[in-house]
Amino acid sequence: MRSGIHPVSRPVVFRDRASGFQLLTRSTLDSRQTVEWEDGVTYPVVDVEISSASHPFYTGKSRVVDTAGRVQRFERRYGPTTAARG
């Protein structure tokens, strides 16, 4: 293996901004922000918008996002879905 061509991997905390969930793992990302982990060591922290703790697929809280009447346009074109019928 050639030396000097691989990125440096270090422990990094990924923090979900929506739910507050934190995960300590190894990554090549670096951050100026730091957080003290449960073991008392300070690690760089990377804030993410969504993770498995807040994603609708993993939490079971799915929602329909209606952008500019897309749902109504779909229902006019193809008819209402079974969930909309009642």
Side-chain angles (χ1 to χ4, degrees):
M1 200 161 59
R2 290 177 32 196
S3 63
I5 64 168
H6 300 285
V8 177
S9 175
R10 64 185 68 78
V12 176
V13 174
F14 286 92
R15 179 173 53 197
D16 185 348
R17 295 175 60 191
S19 67
F21 174 73
Q22 296 182 1
L23 173 71
L24 176 64
T25 186
R26 296 191 62 81
S27 177
T28 57
L29 291 177
D30 198 11
S31 175
R32 294 175 192 254
Q33 297 177 345
T34 59
V35 67
E36 187 173 331
W37 191 247
E38 300 160 354
D39 59 2
V41 179
T42 302
Y43 296 105
V45 63
V46 177
D47 287 327
V48 294
E49 295 293 325
I50 197 160
S51 71
S52 61
S54 63
H55 193 281
F57 179 80
Y58 295 107
T59 61
K61 298 177 184 174
S62 63
R63 56 186 169 212
V64 176
V65 177
D66 185 15
T67 306
R70 289 183 183 176
V71 172
Q72 286 81 13
R73 191 169 54 229
F74 177 84
E75 288 179 349
R76 268 188 279 130
R77 193 174 291 166
Y78 302 108
T81 61
T82 31
R85 288 183 198 154

